[in-house]
Amino acid sequence: IMQSLLRMPDAVHVQTPVIEDEELNSVSKIVAEAVGKLVDFRLQEGESLYRVFSEKIANIRTLLSQVEPYEKERTERIRQNLLDRLEKLPVDYDKNRLEQEMIYYIEKLDINEEKHRLENHLDYFVETMDSVMDAGGHGKKLGFIAQEMGREINTLGSKSNQAEMQRIVVKMKDELEQIKEQVLNAL
């Protein structure tokens, strides 16, 4: 019955309130002020995130440069360990074939490609950050770049079979994790 009553013409009459120009101007002024404060806050937050990201990227670069001295020492140590173990075995072996196998093995542990790609990702992150400051909004893109940086850092860690290098990798991961946390605050 209620539905039938409501369908009848003029059964319900809704009166739209009349808003005076003065009230409309007041509301418009308050909304404009609130939007202005929101924009100012977002600019401050963006500048703060930019500083945090820049610091963390610089820290990862510094840590990456600390890997190099261990890298050179590591390959020679691996080579020498293999030779020492072979000398203890009562087996004859082809020295040429051994050299080929060692080169292959040491190339598998080479981290130059990962270091180069990580450097490229760091540069791309900074470029994207700079373009965001000019144009606005690329939070997801920064997240994807951070994900790629993580892949390279993980590969460095898996290839580094030396304690000092692994400590450096852990520090890089910590810096990257802080970047990833802050990327969630970027729009």
Side-chain angles (χ1 to χ4, degrees), residues 10-175:
D10 296 327
V12 177
H13 182 67
V14 178
Q15 186 176 12
T16 307
V18 177
I19 300 174
E20 300 292 324
D21 287 342
E22 185 178 313
E23 290 175 313
L24 187 59
N25 288 339
S26 286
V27 170
S28 295
K29 183 178 175 184
I30 290 170
V31 168
E33 186 178 319
V35 168
K37 286 183 180 181
L38 175 66
V39 169
D40 290 344
F41 175 77
R42 287 191 60 205
L43 286 172
Q44 280 180 322
E45 184 70 15
E47 289 169 0
S48 174
L49 285 173
Y50 187 88
R51 284 191 301 274
V52 168
F53 290 151
S54 296
E55 175 189 332
K56 299 302 174 189
I57 294 293
N59 291 347
I60 292 173
R61 282 187 202 279
T62 301
L63 289 166
L64 185 59
S65 70
Q66 293 173 7
V67 166
E68 195 164 324
Y70 298 109
E71 180 184 3
K72 292 175 184 173
E73 165 188 314
R74 175 180 72 112
T75 54
E76 183 53 40
R77 186 177 47 81
I78 291 169
R79 186 178 188 286
Q80 194 57 49
N81 282 345
L82 288 172
L83 288 173
D84 291 344
R85 287 181 184 169
L86 277 174
E87 285 179 14
K88 292 177 184 176
L89 293 175
V91 180
D92 263 352
Y93 56 88
D94 181 4
K95 293 190 189 268
N96 289 330
R97 178 70 180 169
L98 174 65
E99 284 296 319
Q100 290 173 350
E101 290 296 328
M102 278 203 293
I103 289 170
Y104 175 77
Y105 180 68
I106 289 173
E107 280 180 354
K108 287 287 187 190
L109 295 175
D110 183 42
I111 59 172
N112 284 321
E113 188 176 335
E114 287 77 13
K115 287 176 12 184
H116 182 68
R117 280 197 303 249
L118 180 56
E119 276 289 342
N120 287 340
H121 293 321
L122 294 171
D123 292 341
Y124 189 42
F125 192 94
V126 171
E127 287 172 26
T128 303
M129 247 185 359
D130 290 341
S131 72
V132 168
M133 290 301 284
D134 296 337
H138 283 49
K140 283 193 182 253
K141 188 174 186 179
L142 292 175
F144 293 142
I145 299 168
Q147 212 172 18
E148 291 301 315
M149 289 189 299
R151 285 191 182 97
E152 299 307 327
I153 291 171
N154 285 334
T155 305
L156 279 173
S158 68
K159 286 187 173 185
S160 67
N161 54 356
Q162 186 177 29
E164 281 304 314
M165 282 178 68
Q166 289 177 341
R167 283 188 187 103
I168 292 170
V169 166
V170 168
K171 290 177 186 177
M172 281 193 261
K173 285 182 178 185
D174 182 46
E175 296 293 331

